[in-house]
Coordinates of all heavy atoms in Angstrom, one line a residue:
M1 N 105.2 151.4 104.3 CA 103.8 151.7 103.9 C 103.0 150.5 103.6 O 103.5 149.6 102.9 CB 103.9 152.7 102.7 CG 102.5 153.1 102.2 SD 102.7 154.3 100.9 CE 101.1 154.3 100.4
S2 N 101.8 150.4 104.1 CA 101.0 149.2 103.8 C 100.6 149.2 102.3 O 100.5 150.3 101.8 CB 99.8 149.2 104.7 OG 98.9 150.1 104.3
Q3 N 100.5 148.0 101.8 CA 100.1 148.0 100.4 C 98.6 148.1 100.3 O 97.8 147.2 100.6 CB 100.5 146.6 99.8 CG 102.0 146.5 99.6 CD 102.6 147.5 98.6 OE1 101.9 148.1 97.8 NE2 103.9 147.7 98.7
Q4 N 98.2 149.3 99.8 CA 96.7 149.5 99.6 C 96.4 149.3 98.2 O 97.3 149.4 97.3 CB 96.4 150.9 100.0 CG 96.5 151.2 101.5 CD 96.4 152.7 101.8 OE1 97.3 153.4 101.6 NE2 95.2 153.1 102.2
A5 N 95.2 148.9 97.9 CA 94.7 148.7 96.5 C 94.7 150.0 95.7 O 95.0 150.0 94.5 CB 93.3 148.1 96.5
A6 N 94.5 151.1 96.4 CA 94.4 152.4 95.8 C 94.9 153.5 96.8 O 94.5 153.5 97.9 CB 93.0 152.8 95.3
Y7 N 95.8 154.4 96.3 CA 96.2 155.4 97.2 C 96.8 156.6 96.4 O 97.1 156.4 95.2 CB 97.3 155.0 98.2 CG 98.6 154.4 97.6 CD1 99.7 155.2 97.4 CD2 98.6 153.1 97.3 CE1 100.8 154.7 96.8 CE2 99.8 152.5 96.7 CZ 100.9 153.4 96.5 OH 102.0 152.8 95.9
L8 N 96.8 157.8 97.0 CA 97.2 159.0 96.3 C 98.7 159.2 96.6 O 99.2 159.0 97.7 CB 96.4 160.2 96.8 CG 94.9 160.2 96.3 CD1 94.1 161.2 97.1 CD2 94.8 160.4 94.8
D9 N 99.4 159.6 95.5 CA 100.8 160.0 95.6 C 100.9 161.4 95.1 O 101.0 161.6 93.9 CB 101.6 159.0 94.8 CG 103.1 159.3 94.8 OD1 103.5 160.0 95.8 OD2 103.8 159.0 93.9
G10 N 100.7 162.4 96.0 CA 100.6 163.8 95.5 C 99.3 163.9 94.8 O 98.2 163.5 95.3
D11 N 99.4 164.4 93.5 CA 98.2 164.5 92.7 C 97.9 163.3 91.9 O 96.9 163.2 91.2 CB 98.4 165.7 91.7 CG 98.3 167.0 92.4 OD1 97.7 167.1 93.5 OD2 98.9 168.0 91.8
D12 N 98.8 162.3 92.0 CA 98.6 161.1 91.2 C 97.9 160.0 92.0 O 98.0 159.9 93.2 CB 99.9 160.5 90.7 CG 100.7 161.5 89.8 OD1 100.0 162.5 89.4 OD2 101.8 161.2 89.5
L13 N 97.2 159.1 91.3 CA 96.5 158.0 92.0 C 97.3 156.7 91.6 O 97.5 156.5 90.4 CB 95.1 157.9 91.5 CG 94.2 156.8 92.0 CD1 94.0 156.9 93.5 CD2 92.9 156.8 91.3
I14 N 97.6 155.9 92.5 CA 98.3 154.6 92.3 C 97.3 153.5 92.5 O 96.6 153.5 93.6 CB 99.5 154.4 93.3 CG1 100.4 155.6 93.3 CG2 100.2 153.1 92.9 CD1 101.1 155.9 92.0
L15 N 97.1 152.7 91.5 CA 96.2 151.6 91.7 C 96.9 150.2 91.5 O 97.8 150.1 90.6 CB 95.1 151.6 90.5 CG 94.2 152.8 90.5 CD1 93.3 152.7 89.2 CD2 93.3 152.8 91.7
R16 N 96.6 149.3 92.4 CA 97.2 148.0 92.3 C 96.0 147.1 91.8 O 95.0 147.1 92.4 CB 97.7 147.5 93.7 CG 99.0 148.2 94.1 CD 99.2 148.1 95.6 NE 98.9 146.8 96.1 CZ 99.7 145.7 96.1 NH1 100.9 145.8 95.6 NH2 99.4 144.6 96.7
L17 N 96.2 146.6 90.6 CA 95.1 145.9 89.9 C 95.3 144.4 89.7 O 96.4 144.0 89.5 CB 94.9 146.6 88.5 CG 94.7 148.1 88.5 CD1 94.7 148.6 87.0 CD2 93.5 148.5 89.2
Y18 N 94.2 143.8 89.7 CA 94.2 142.4 89.3 C 93.3 142.3 88.1 O 92.1 142.8 88.1 CB 93.6 141.5 90.4 CG 93.3 140.1 90.0 CD1 94.4 139.2 90.1 CD2 92.1 139.6 89.6 CE1 94.2 137.8 89.7 CE2 91.9 138.3 89.2 CZ 93.0 137.4 89.3 OH 92.8 136.1 88.9
I19 N 93.8 141.9 87.0 CA 93.1 142.0 85.7 C 92.5 140.7 85.3 O 93.1 139.6 85.3 CB 94.1 142.4 84.6 CG1 94.9 143.7 84.9 CG2 93.3 142.6 83.2 CD1 94.0 144.9 85.2
Q20 N 91.2 140.8 85.0 CA 90.5 139.6 84.4 C 90.2 139.9 83.0 O 89.4 140.8 82.7 CB 89.2 139.4 85.2 CG 88.4 138.2 84.6 CD 86.9 138.2 85.1 OE1 86.5 138.9 86.0 NE2 86.1 137.5 84.4
S21 N 91.0 139.3 82.1 CA 90.8 139.5 80.7 C 89.7 138.6 80.1 O 89.2 137.7 80.7 CB 92.1 139.3 79.9 OG 92.7 138.1 80.2
K22 N 89.3 138.9 78.9 CA 88.3 138.2 78.1 C 87.0 138.2 78.9 O 86.2 137.2 78.9 CB 88.8 136.8 77.8 CG 89.9 136.8 76.8 CD 90.2 135.4 76.2 CE 90.5 134.4 77.2 NZ 91.6 133.5 76.9
A23 N 86.7 139.2 79.7 CA 85.4 139.3 80.4 C 84.3 139.7 79.5 O 84.5 140.1 78.3 CB 85.6 140.3 81.5
S24 N 83.1 139.5 79.9 CA 81.9 139.9 79.1 C 81.8 141.4 78.9 O 81.2 141.8 77.9 CB 80.6 139.2 79.6 OG 80.4 139.7 80.9
R25 N 82.2 142.1 79.9 CA 82.2 143.6 79.7 C 83.3 144.2 80.6 O 83.8 143.6 81.5 CB 80.8 144.2 80.1 CG 80.5 144.0 81.5 CD 78.9 144.2 81.7 NE 78.6 144.1 83.1 CZ 78.3 145.2 83.9 NH1 78.3 146.4 83.3 NH2 77.9 145.1 85.1
D26 N 83.6 145.5 80.3 CA 84.6 146.2 81.0 C 84.0 146.7 82.3 O 82.9 147.4 82.2 CB 85.1 147.4 80.2 CG 85.8 147.0 79.0 OD1 86.4 145.9 78.9 OD2 85.8 147.8 78.0
Q27 N 84.6 146.5 83.4 CA 84.1 147.1 84.7 C 85.1 147.0 85.8 O 86.0 146.2 85.8 CB 82.8 146.4 85.1 CG 83.0 145.0 85.7 CD 81.6 144.5 86.2 OE1 80.6 144.5 85.5 NE2 81.7 143.9 87.4
L28 N 85.0 148.0 86.7 CA 85.8 148.0 87.9 C 84.9 147.1 88.9 O 83.9 147.5 89.3 CB 85.9 149.4 88.5 CG 86.8 150.4 87.7 CD1 86.5 151.8 88.1 CD2 88.2 150.0 87.9
V29 N 85.5 145.9 89.1 CA 84.7 144.9 89.9 C 84.7 145.3 91.4 O 83.6 145.1 92.1 CB 85.2 143.5 89.7 CG1 84.4 142.5 90.5 CG2 85.2 143.2 88.2
G30 N 85.8 145.7 91.9 CA 85.9 146.0 93.3 C 87.1 145.3 93.9 O 88.0 144.8 93.2
L31 N 87.2 145.2 95.2 CA 88.4 144.6 95.8 C 88.5 143.1 95.6 O 87.5 142.4 95.6 CB 88.3 144.9 97.4 CG 89.0 146.1 97.9 CD1 88.9 146.1 99.4 CD2 90.4 146.3 97.4
H32 N 89.8 142.7 95.4 CA 90.1 141.3 95.2 C 91.4 141.1 96.0 O 92.5 141.5 95.6 CB 90.4 141.0 93.7 CG 90.8 139.6 93.4 ND1 89.9 138.6 93.2 CD2 92.0 139.1 93.3 CE1 90.5 137.5 93.0 NE2 91.8 137.8 93.0
G33 N 91.2 140.7 97.3 CA 92.4 140.7 98.2 C 92.8 142.1 98.4 O 92.0 143.0 98.8
D34 N 94.1 142.4 98.2 CA 94.6 143.8 98.4 C 94.8 144.5 97.0 O 95.6 145.4 96.9 CB 95.9 143.8 99.2 CG 97.0 143.0 98.5 OD1 96.7 142.3 97.5 OD2 98.1 143.0 99.1
E35 N 94.0 144.1 96.0 CA 94.1 144.7 94.7 C 92.7 145.1 94.3 O 91.7 144.6 94.8 CB 94.7 143.8 93.7 CG 96.1 143.4 94.0 CD 96.7 142.3 93.2 OE1 96.1 141.2 93.1 OE2 97.7 142.5 92.5
V36 N 92.6 145.9 93.3 CA 91.3 146.2 92.7 C 91.1 145.3 91.4 O 92.0 145.3 90.6 CB 91.2 147.7 92.2 CG1 89.8 148.0 91.6 CG2 91.4 148.6 93.4
K37 N 90.0 144.6 91.4 CA 89.8 143.7 90.2 C 89.2 144.5 89.1 O 88.2 145.2 89.4 CB 88.9 142.5 90.6 CG 88.7 141.5 89.5 CD 88.0 140.3 90.0 CE 87.8 139.3 88.9 NZ 87.0 138.1 89.4
V38 N 89.8 144.4 87.9 CA 89.2 145.1 86.8 C 89.0 144.0 85.7 O 89.9 143.3 85.3 CB 90.2 146.1 86.2 CG1 89.6 146.8 85.0 CG2 90.5 147.2 87.3
A39 N 87.7 144.0 85.2 CA 87.4 143.1 84.1 C 87.5 143.8 82.8 O 87.0 144.9 82.7 CB 86.0 142.5 84.4
I40 N 88.2 143.3 81.8 CA 88.2 143.9 80.5 C 87.9 142.8 79.5 O 88.2 141.7 79.7 CB 89.6 144.6 80.2 CG1 90.7 143.6 80.4 CG2 89.8 145.8 81.1 CD1 92.1 144.1 79.9
T41 N 87.4 143.3 78.4 CA 86.9 142.4 77.3 C 88.1 141.9 76.4 O 88.0 140.9 75.8 CB 85.9 143.1 76.4 OG1 86.4 144.3 75.9 CG2 84.6 143.3 77.2
A42 N 89.2 142.6 76.4 CA 90.3 142.3 75.5 C 91.0 141.0 76.0 O 91.2 140.8 77.2 CB 91.3 143.5 75.5
P43 N 91.5 140.2 75.0 CA 92.3 139.1 75.4 C 93.8 139.5 75.7 O 94.2 140.5 75.2 CB 92.3 138.2 74.1 CG 92.2 139.3 73.0 CD 91.4 140.4 73.6
P44 N 94.5 138.7 76.5 CA 95.8 139.1 76.9 C 96.8 138.7 75.8 O 97.7 137.8 76.0 CB 96.1 138.3 78.2 CG 95.2 137.1 78.0 CD 94.0 137.5 77.2
V45 N 96.7 139.3 74.6 CA 97.5 138.9 73.5 C 98.2 140.2 72.9 O 97.5 141.2 72.7 CB 96.6 138.3 72.3 CG1 97.5 137.9 71.2 CG2 95.8 137.1 72.9
D46 N 99.5 140.1 72.7 CA 100.2 141.2 72.0 C 100.0 142.5 72.6 O 99.9 143.5 71.9 CB 99.8 141.3 70.5 CG 100.1 140.0 69.8 OD1 101.0 139.2 70.2 OD2 99.5 139.7 68.8
G47 N 99.9 142.6 73.9 CA 99.7 143.9 74.6 C 98.3 144.5 74.4 O 98.0 145.6 74.7
K48 N 97.4 143.7 73.8 CA 96.0 144.3 73.5 C 95.3 144.6 74.8 O 94.6 145.6 75.0 CB 95.2 143.3 72.7 CG 95.5 143.2 71.3 CD 94.4 142.4 70.5 CE 94.6 142.4 69.0 NZ 95.7 141.5 68.7
A49 N 95.5 143.7 75.8 CA 94.8 143.9 77.1 C 95.4 145.2 77.8 O 94.6 146.0 78.3 CB 95.0 142.7 78.0
N50 N 96.7 145.4 77.7 CA 97.2 146.6 78.3 C 96.7 147.9 77.6 O 96.3 148.9 78.3 CB 98.8 146.6 78.3 CG 99.3 145.7 79.3 OD1 98.7 145.3 80.2 ND2 100.6 145.4 79.2
A51 N 96.6 147.8 76.3 CA 96.2 149.0 75.5 C 94.7 149.2 75.9 O 94.3 150.4 76.1 CB 96.3 148.7 74.1
H52 N 93.9 148.2 76.0 CA 92.5 148.3 76.3 C 92.3 148.8 77.7 O 91.5 149.7 78.0 CB 91.9 146.9 76.1 CG 90.4 146.9 76.2 ND1 89.6 147.1 75.1 CD2 89.5 146.8 77.3 CE1 88.3 147.1 75.5 NE2 88.2 146.9 76.8
L53 N 93.1 148.3 78.6 CA 93.1 148.7 80.0 C 93.4 150.2 80.1 O 92.7 150.9 80.8 CB 94.1 147.9 80.9 CG 94.2 148.3 82.3 CD1 92.9 147.9 83.1 CD2 95.3 147.7 83.0
T54 N 94.4 150.6 79.5 CA 94.8 152.0 79.5 C 93.7 152.9 79.0 O 93.3 153.9 79.6 CB 96.1 152.2 78.6 OG1 97.1 151.4 79.1 CG2 96.5 153.7 78.7
K55 N 93.1 152.5 77.9 CA 92.0 153.3 77.3 C 90.8 153.3 78.3 O 90.1 154.4 78.5 CB 91.6 152.6 76.0 CG 90.5 153.4 75.2 CD 90.3 152.7 73.8 CE 89.1 153.3 73.1 NZ 88.8 152.6 71.9
Y56 N 90.4 152.2 78.8 CA 89.3 152.1 79.8 C 89.5 152.9 81.0 O 88.7 153.7 81.4 CB 89.1 150.6 80.2 CG 88.1 150.4 81.2 CD1 86.7 150.7 81.0 CD2 88.4 150.0 82.5 CE1 85.7 150.5 82.0 CE2 87.4 149.8 83.5 CZ 86.1 150.1 83.2 OH 85.1 149.9 84.2
L57 N 90.7 152.8 81.6 CA 91.0 153.6 82.8 C 91.0 155.1 82.5 O 90.6 155.9 83.3 CB 92.4 153.2 83.4 CG 92.3 151.8 84.0 CD1 93.7 151.4 84.5 CD2 91.3 151.7 85.2
S58 N 91.5 155.5 81.3 CA 91.6 156.9 80.9 C 90.1 157.5 80.9 O 89.9 158.6 81.3 CB 92.3 157.1 79.6 OG 91.6 156.7 78.5
K59 N 89.2 156.7 80.4 CA 87.8 157.1 80.4 C 87.2 157.2 81.8 O 86.5 158.2 82.1 CB 86.9 156.1 79.6 CG 87.1 156.3 78.1 CD 86.0 155.4 77.4 CE 86.2 155.5 75.9 NZ 85.9 154.3 75.2
Q60 N 87.5 156.2 82.6 CA 86.9 156.2 83.9 C 87.4 157.4 84.8 O 86.7 157.9 85.6 CB 87.4 154.9 84.7 CG 86.8 153.6 84.1 CD 85.3 153.6 84.2 OE1 84.7 153.8 85.2 NE2 84.6 153.4 83.0
F61 N 88.7 157.7 84.6 CA 89.3 158.8 85.4 C 89.3 160.1 84.7 O 89.9 161.1 85.2 CB 90.7 158.3 85.9 CG 90.6 157.2 86.9 CD1 90.7 155.9 86.4 CD2 90.4 157.4 88.2 CE1 90.6 154.8 87.3 CE2 90.3 156.4 89.1 CZ 90.4 155.1 88.7
K62 N 88.8 160.1 83.5 CA 88.7 161.4 82.7 C 90.1 162.0 82.5 O 90.3 163.2 82.8 CB 87.7 162.4 83.3 CG 86.4 161.8 83.6 CD 85.3 162.6 83.0 CE 83.9 162.1 83.4 NZ 83.6 160.7 83.3
V63 N 91.0 161.2 82.0 CA 92.4 161.7 81.7 C 92.7 161.2 80.3 O 92.1 160.3 79.7 CB 93.4 161.2 82.7 CG1 93.2 161.8 84.1 CG2 93.5 159.7 82.8
A64 N 93.8 161.8 79.7 CA 94.3 161.4 78.5 C 95.0 160.0 78.7 O 95.5 159.7 79.7 CB 95.3 162.4 77.9
K65 N 95.0 159.2 77.6 CA 95.6 157.9 77.7 C 97.1 158.0 78.2 O 97.6 157.1 78.8 CB 95.5 157.1 76.4 CG 94.1 156.6 76.1 CD 94.1 155.6 75.0 CE 94.5 156.2 73.7 NZ 93.6 156.0 72.6
G66 N 97.7 159.1 77.8 CA 99.1 159.2 78.2 C 99.3 159.5 79.7 O 100.4 159.4 80.2
Q67 N 98.2 159.7 80.4 CA 98.3 160.0 81.8 C 98.0 158.7 82.6 O 98.0 158.7 83.8 CB 97.3 161.0 82.2 CG 97.6 162.4 81.8 CD 96.5 163.4 82.1 OE1 95.7 163.7 81.2 NE2 96.4 163.9 83.3
V68 N 97.9 157.6 81.9 CA 97.7 156.3 82.5 C 99.0 155.5 82.2 O 99.3 155.2 81.1 CB 96.5 155.5 82.0 CG1 96.4 154.1 82.6 CG2 95.2 156.3 82.2
D69 N 99.8 155.2 83.3 CA 101.0 154.5 83.1 C 101.1 153.2 83.9 O 100.9 153.2 85.1 CB 102.1 155.5 83.6 CG 103.5 154.9 83.5 OD1 103.8 154.2 82.5 OD2 104.4 155.1 84.3
I70 N 101.3 152.1 83.1 CA 101.4 150.8 83.8 C 102.9 150.7 84.3 O 103.8 150.6 83.5 CB 101.1 149.7 82.8 CG1 99.7 149.8 82.4 CG2 101.4 148.3 83.5 CD1 99.3 148.7 81.3
E71 N 103.1 150.9 85.6 CA 104.4 151.0 86.2 C 105.0 149.6 86.5 O 106.2 149.4 86.4 CB 104.4 151.7 87.5 CG 104.0 153.2 87.4 CD 104.1 154.0 88.7 OE1 103.7 153.5 89.8 OE2 104.6 155.1 88.6
K72 N 104.1 148.6 86.8 CA 104.6 147.3 87.1 C 103.6 146.3 86.5 O 102.4 146.6 86.5 CB 104.7 147.0 88.6 CG 105.7 147.8 89.3 CD 105.7 147.4 90.8 CE 106.5 148.4 91.6 NZ 106.0 148.5 93.0
G73 N 104.1 145.1 86.1 CA 103.2 144.1 85.7 C 102.7 144.1 84.3 O 101.6 143.6 84.0
E74 N 103.5 144.7 83.4 CA 103.1 144.8 81.9 C 102.7 143.4 81.4 O 101.7 143.4 80.6 CB 104.4 145.2 81.1 CG 104.7 146.7 81.1 CD 103.9 147.4 80.1 OE1 103.5 146.9 79.1 OE2 103.6 148.6 80.3
L75 N 103.3 142.4 81.8 CA 103.0 141.1 81.2 C 102.2 140.1 82.1 O 101.9 139.0 81.7 CB 104.4 140.3 80.9 CG 105.2 141.1 79.9 CD1 106.6 140.5 79.8 CD2 104.5 141.2 78.6
G76 N 101.8 140.6 83.3 CA 101.1 139.7 84.2 C 99.7 140.3 84.4 O 99.3 141.4 83.9
R77 N 98.9 139.6 85.2 CA 97.6 140.1 85.5 C 97.6 140.9 86.8 O 96.6 141.6 87.1 CB 96.6 138.9 85.7 CG 97.0 137.8 86.6 CD 95.9 136.8 86.8 NE 95.5 136.2 85.5 CZ 94.2 136.0 85.2 NH1 93.2 136.2 86.0 NH2 93.9 135.5 84.0
H78 N 98.7 141.0 87.5 CA 98.8 141.9 88.6 C 99.6 143.1 88.2 O 100.7 143.0 87.7 CB 99.6 141.2 89.8 CG 98.9 140.0 90.3 ND1 97.9 140.0 91.2 CD2 99.1 138.7 89.9 CE1 97.5 138.8 91.4 NE2 98.1 137.9 90.7
K79 N 99.0 144.2 88.2 CA 99.6 145.5 87.7 C 99.6 146.6 88.7 O 98.7 146.6 89.6 CB 98.9 145.9 86.5 CG 98.8 144.9 85.3 CD 98.2 145.5 84.1 CE 98.0 144.5 83.0 NZ 99.3 143.8 82.6
Q80 N 100.5 147.5 88.6 CA 100.5 148.7 89.3 C 100.4 149.8 88.3 O 101.2 149.9 87.4 CB 101.7 148.9 90.2 CG 101.6 150.2 91.0 CD 102.7 150.3 92.0 OE1 102.8 149.5 92.9 NE2 103.4 151.4 92.0
V81 N 99.4 150.7 88.4 CA 99.1 151.7 87.4 C 99.1 153.1 88.1 O 98.6 153.2 89.2 CB 97.7 151.5 86.7 CG1 97.4 152.6 85.8 CG2 97.7 150.1 86.0
R82 N 99.8 154.0 87.5 CA 99.8 155.4 88.0 C 98.9 156.2 87.1 O 99.0 156.2 85.8 CB 101.2 156.0 88.0 CG 101.2 157.5 88.4 CD 102.7 158.0 88.3 NE 103.4 157.4 89.4 CZ 103.6 157.9 90.6 NH1 103.0 159.0 90.9 NH2 104.3 157.2 91.5
I83 N 97.9 156.9 87.7 CA 97.0 157.8 86.9 C 97.4 159.2 87.3 O 97.3 159.6 88.5 CB 95.6 157.5 87.1 CG1 95.3 156.1 86.6 CG2 94.7 158.5 86.4 CD1 94.0 155.5 86.9
T84 N 97.9 160.0 86.4 CA 98.4 161.3 86.6 C 97.2 162.3 86.7 O 96.5 162.5 85.8 CB 99.4 161.8 85.5 OG1 100.4 160.8 85.4 CG2 100.0 163.2 85.9
A85 N 97.1 162.9 87.9 CA 96.1 164.0 88.2 C 94.7 163.6 87.6 O 94.2 164.3 86.7 CB 96.5 165.3 87.5
P86 N 94.1 162.5 88.2 CA 92.7 162.1 87.7 C 91.7 163.2 87.9 O 91.7 163.9 88.9 CB 92.4 160.9 88.5 CG 93.3 161.0 89.7 CD 94.5 161.7 89.3
K87 N 90.8 163.4 86.9 CA 89.8 164.5 87.0 C 88.5 163.9 87.6 O 87.7 164.7 88.1 CB 89.5 165.1 85.6 CG 90.7 165.8 85.0 CD 90.3 166.6 83.8 CE 91.4 167.5 83.3 NZ 92.7 166.7 83.1
A88 N 88.4 162.6 87.6 CA 87.2 161.9 88.2 C 87.8 160.7 88.9 O 88.7 160.1 88.4 CB 86.2 161.6 87.2
I89 N 87.1 160.3 90.0 CA 87.5 159.0 90.6 C 86.2 158.2 90.8 O 85.3 158.6 91.5 CB 88.2 159.2 92.0 CG1 89.5 160.0 91.7 CG2 88.4 157.9 92.7 CD1 90.3 160.2 92.9
P90 N 86.1 157.1 90.1 CA 84.8 156.3 90.1 C 84.6 155.8 91.6 O 85.5 155.6 92.3 CB 85.1 155.1 89.2 CG 86.3 155.5 88.4 CD 87.1 156.5 89.2
E91 N 83.3 155.6 91.9 CA 82.8 155.2 93.2 C 83.6 154.1 93.8 O 84.0 154.2 95.0 CB 81.3 154.9 93.1 CG 80.7 154.8 94.5 CD 80.9 156.0 95.4 OE1 80.6 157.2 94.9 OE2 81.3 155.8 96.5
P92 N 83.8 152.9 93.1 CA 84.5 151.8 93.8 C 85.9 152.2 94.2 O 86.4 151.6 95.2 CB 84.6 150.7 92.7 CG 83.6 151.1 91.6 CD 83.4 152.6 91.8
I93 N 86.5 153.1 93.5 CA 87.9 153.5 93.9 C 87.8 154.5 95.0 O 88.6 154.5 96.0 CB 88.6 154.1 92.7 CG1 88.7 153.1 91.5 CG2 90.1 154.5 93.1 CD1 89.4 151.8 91.7
Q94 N 86.9 155.5 94.9 CA 86.7 156.5 95.9 C 86.6 155.9 97.3 O 87.1 156.4 98.3 CB 85.4 157.3 95.6 CG 85.2 158.5 96.4 CD 86.0 159.7 95.9 OE1 86.0 160.0 94.7 NE2 86.8 160.3 96.7
A95 N 85.9 154.8 97.4 CA 85.6 154.1 98.6 C 86.9 153.5 99.3 O 86.9 153.3 100.5 CB 84.6 152.9 98.4
L96 N 87.9 153.4 98.5 CA 89.2 152.8 99.0 C 90.2 153.9 99.5 O 91.2 153.6 100.1 CB 89.9 152.0 97.9 CG 89.0 150.8 97.3 CD1 89.8 150.2 96.1 CD2 88.7 149.8 98.3
L97 N 89.9 155.1 99.1 CA 90.9 156.2 99.4 C 90.6 156.8 100.8 O 89.5 156.8 101.3 CB 90.8 157.3 98.4 CG 91.2 156.9 97.0 CD1 91.0 158.0 96.0 CD2 92.6 156.4 96.9

């Protein structure tokens, strides 16, 4: 299977992310190579960025924080995230599906 930045796995959405921490604001920037670039304001310290990312994505996709699972890349800026049964899909992601 080709590595897409975003794809559906049944009812779940898999996102391959490139994280830019310490950004001026939280936003889904768009494609960055074969990943979706996400800017977040949190610094990459003590898991703060992951917690912030999880919270941000849960709001964007209208799911509980527990439905956002960082499957790969806990410690790096390249991550794979599974969003269980998203209720909303933001426009930049919708365009990739």
Side-chain angles (χ1 to χ4, degrees):
M1 177 176 170
S2 72
Q3 289 296 343
Q4 291 169 282
Y7 59 93
L8 291 166
D9 177 23
D11 288 336
D12 297 352
L13 178 65
I14 310 296
L15 295 174
R16 287 159 43 82
L17 304 177
Y18 174 82
I19 307 302
Q20 178 195 345
S21 51
K22 297 195 298 225
S24 56
R25 64 196 184 106
D26 295 331
Q27 71 176 50
L28 289 164
V29 180
L31 270 185
H32 178 85
D34 58 356
E35 297 169 303
V36 177
K37 183 172 179 182
V38 180
I40 55 171
T41 53
V45 182
D46 302 336
K48 283 192 178 75
N50 283 346
H52 190 90
L53 176 68
T54 301
K55 187 175 169 188
Y56 174 66
L57 291 175
S58 71
K59 279 189 184 143
Q60 294 297 307
F61 293 91
K62 308 234 184 314
V63 295
K65 284 194 297 231
Q67 288 172 263
V68 178
D69 180 36
I70 298 174
E71 295 186 316
K72 294 183 191 150
E74 280 277 332
L75 300 173
R77 52 176 55 221
H78 300 276
K79 301 187 186 298
Q80 179 170 308
V81 176
R82 174 180 294 267
I83 297 172
T84 307
K87 295 193 174 50
I89 296 181
E91 192 55 52
I93 304 299
Q94 191 80 51
L96 302 174
L97 297 175

